[in-house]
Amino acid sequence: MSRPMWIANASQEIGIALAVLAMLGYGAVTLACMACTAAEGQVEGRGWNTWRTAGLALCLVWPVMIVVFAIAQLAQRRPHHA
């Protein structure tokens, strides 16, 4: 027995909303940690070089790659309709 269409749409929207909230939460925690790391570097007298900047920026980027690969996997599993 299949669920009515409005229930399926509602559960998809709830899932999307939870994913967005999780991403925003992760982003907020990451930015706070990055700010602490940047402040520590300034206190210790270490400047901003390419590696330091890239490392801090990659803290925000790697979760996006997980999402991209997950979507790619889901796209491969779904049957393509002509």
Side-chain angles (χ1 to χ4, degrees):
M1 185 169 159
S2 66
R3 294 187 284 182
M5 183 59 91
W6 68 271
I7 293 176
N9 288 339
S11 34
Q12 287 174 346
E13 290 175 5
I14 290 170
I16 291 170
L18 290 175
V20 168
L21 285 174
M23 286 186 271
L24 289 174
Y26 176 84
V29 170
T30 302
L31 288 173
C33 292
M34 288 171 59
C36 291
T37 301
E40 288 172 1
Q42 292 297 332
V43 167
E44 293 175 4
R46 289 184 271 155
W48 287 92
N49 62 18
T50 304
W51 292 110
R52 183 178 180 84
T53 306
L56 289 174
L58 287 173
C59 290
L60 288 172
V61 174
W62 76 263
V64 174
M65 295 307 298
I66 291 174
V67 172
V68 168
F69 286 118
I71 290 171
Q73 287 294 318
L74 286 173
Q76 288 179 356
R77 289 184 186 173
R78 287 189 176 169
H80 296 286
H81 298 289

